[in-house]
Amino acid sequence: MAALARKTLIYEWRKFLPAALAVAFSGLLLLMMTALMLGIFSSAGVYVSRSGGDLWAGYPGTQSVELGRPIPRDTEMWLRMDPAVAQVEPFQWLDGDWRGPVERGGVSVFVSGISPDADGMMFAHVLGARERALLVEPGSVIVDAADVDKLGVGIGDTATLNGRHVKIIAAVPGLRALGGVNIVTSLATAHWLNTDAADRDKVAYYIVRLQPGADVEAARDRLTLLGAAHRFAVWTSERFAYNAASYWMFETGAGLGFVFLAVIVLVVGVVITSQTLFAAVASAVREYAMLNALGAGLSALRRVILEQAFWVGMVGVAIGSALSIAIMLLAAGQDVPIVFNALAAVSCAVLVMSIALISGLLAAGVINHLEPANLLR
C-alpha cells in the first residue's frame, strides 16, 4: 500500500499539486511570521545582544532596557569590589526629542551614552575603535544606517536633541531598537543632553566583564545579595536580553497578536488543504471501491490516504522553505528585522506537517461509506 500511495502521487501529481501549494503557503506564512516576531522582539534586547560583558546591573525590577531608572552612584564601587570582576562600564539611557528639518517635525528617540574607549563593552559588536574615537568630540552622535532617512539628516549634518545641537558623525547598521530610534553618543555628551538636573550624574546601568574563567552564575549571585542592600539588581547578559524580549512579547500584548494570527493561519491551512485533498480522494473513489472489492480493508486504504497527505506535506515544506529563504534574503537587504533559528524551523515544520496530516485524516472520511456495488453502475 505504501508503494501505491507514492505511485498515485507521481502519476496523478496534478490532482495533489494544489494541496501541496496550500501546505507550502501555509508554511511560508508561519515561517515569515515567526521570523518577523523573533526579529522584532529580539531588537528589544539589542542593547545587550550587541554588547560585550557578562553581567548587567540596574534598577531592581527592570524588565526591559528602556524601562531603566538611575541607580546610586556608588554602584560601580560595589561592583568593582568583587574579586571576579575585571571591568565595569557605565551605560546611560535617556529619552530624547529629536528635531531635524522643519518638514520632518520631531522624532522621539532613545539616547545611549557609552564609553568611547577602544575597549568599551557597550555596542562592542557594532562599533569599532574608529567609530568610538569619533564620539570623543562633544555633541557627536552615531545613528543606525536604516534610520537616517527617518531622522531627515545625513552624515555631517546637525540637528537638535533635547534642545542641544548635535552632529551626526557616522551611521552604522545594527543599532536599531524596538520602539524608537537609537542615538548613540559618549557618556559626557549624554550627561550634557540629560534634562533632569537631579539625575545628571547618575546612570541607568553598569556592564560588568568578569575575569577569564570566572563563574558567571556565582558572581551574579554574590552581587545580587550585595545589590539588595544597596538598591541595585544584577542579571546575566543572556537573562536580561531574554527579559526584554519577553516583556515586549507578552506584557505589551503584541506577542499575543502574533500567536492569534498563527492560529488563524493554522486553521485556514487545514481547511484549504483538507478540501483540496478531499477533492483528490473523491476523484479516485471508484478506484478505492475496486480495491475494497478486491479485499483491501478500509484501514489499509486510510493509510494510503494518510501517506499521500504525508508526502504532500513534505513537498509543501520543501517548497515553503525555498520561498522563505528567498524572501528572507530579500528582507535582509531591506533592513527588515528577521531572526530565525533551528528551534523555530523545526517547530514550523512540525506545524506544517500537522496541517497536512490533519487534512489527510479529514479527507479519509470520503471512503468511510465505500460501496463496491457502485462499480456496476
Side-chain angles (χ1 to χ4, degrees), residues 216-227:
V216 176
E217 299 295 335
R220 188 274 314 274
D221 293 341
R222 290 195 303 272
L223 293 172
T224 296
L225 290 175
L226 188 64

Side-chain angles (χ1 to χ4, degrees), residues 14-364:
R14 292 177 182 83
K15 292 182 179 179
F16 293 94
L17 181 60
L21 292 177
V23 172
F25 282 99
S26 296
L28 176 63
L29 282 173
L30 285 172
L31 284 166
M32 288 297 97
M33 283 196 311
T34 303
L36 281 171
M37 182 177 70
L38 293 176
I40 290 171
F41 293 121
S42 66
S43 64
V46 67
Y47 303 95
V48 185
S49 61
R50 302 297 170 87
S51 303
D54 302 297
L55 300 173
W56 278 63
Y59 194 84
T62 301
Q63 295 177 284
S64 187
V65 176
E66 63 277 0
L67 301 178
R69 297 169 59 184
I71 54 179
R73 297 186 185 91
D74 60 357
T75 300
E76 182 176 1
M77 178 191 69
W78 294 114
L79 294 172
R80 290 185 181 277
M81 288 175 63
D82 191 283
V85 173
Q87 181 181 354
V88 178
E89 180 181 308
F91 169 51
Q92 181 63 295
W93 192 94
L94 305 169
D95 285 316
D97 179 45
W98 179 275
R99 301 284 176 172
V102 176
E103 63 273 13
R104 288 279 181 172
V107 179
S108 294
V109 300
F110 302 144
V111 180
S112 298
I114 69 172
S115 169
D117 296 339
D119 63 346
M121 293 181 285
M122 196 63 204
F123 292 125
H125 303 320
V126 178
L127 302 178
R130 187 184 70 83
E131 288 85 8
R132 288 181 177 275
L134 294 174
L135 290 176
V136 174
E137 179 185 349
S140 60
V141 300
I142 297 175
V143 300
D144 188 277
D147 290 326
V148 171
D149 292 338
K150 182 177 182 179
L151 296 173
V153 293
I155 298 175
D157 293 342
T158 60
T160 302
L161 179 57
N162 285 359
R164 309 271 191 172
H165 290 289
V166 296
K167 179 181 179 181
I168 296 84
I169 56 168
V172 299
L175 294 174
R176 224 172 190 181
L178 179 62
V181 176
N182 197 19
I183 306 294
V184 179
T185 186
S186 67
L187 283 164
T189 299
H191 291 157
W192 176 61
L193 293 171
N194 194 348
T195 57
D196 190 346
D199 293 326
R200 187 164 292 166
D201 295 330
K202 296 180 181 180
V203 297
Y205 301 99
Y206 287 94
I207 304 103
V208 178
R209 175 180 289 146
L210 300 179
Q211 299 285 357
D215 189 328
V216 176
E217 299 295 335
R220 188 274 314 274
D221 293 341
R222 290 195 303 272
L223 293 172
T224 296
L225 290 175
L226 188 64
H230 298 283
R231 292 181 297 163
F232 67 88
V234 179
W235 309 270
T236 63
S237 296
E238 293 78 8
R239 171 52 62 177
F240 198 35
Y242 175 82
N243 289 349
S246 297
Y247 170 79
W248 281 95
M249 189 176 297
F250 300 112
E251 298 297 328
T252 63
L256 296 178
F258 273 98
V259 173
F260 179 76
L261 187 57
V263 173
I264 296 299
V265 170
L266 188 65
V267 172
V268 171
V270 168
V271 171
I272 295 176
T273 307
S274 64
Q275 291 304 304
T276 52
L277 278 176
F278 185 93
V281 173
S283 66
V285 69
R286 290 177 61 84
E287 287 79 1
Y288 285 117
M290 182 179 66
L291 290 172
N292 185 231
L294 293 173
L298 291 181
S299 60
L301 296 178
R302 290 192 189 97
R303 286 196 296 271
V304 170
I305 296 172
L306 285 176
E307 185 174 348
Q308 289 174 341
F310 173 81
W311 287 111
V312 164
M314 292 296 290
V315 172
V317 168
I319 296 174
S321 298
L323 291 174
S324 298
I325 291 172
I327 292 175
M328 282 193 282
L329 290 175
L330 178 64
Q334 301 298 319
D335 295 314
V336 178
I338 285 182
V339 173
F340 213 59
N341 53 43
L343 178 60
V346 171
S347 300
C348 288
V350 170
L351 285 174
V352 172
M353 289 304 298
S354 299
I355 290 175
L357 293 176
I358 292 172
S359 300
L361 286 172
L362 295 175

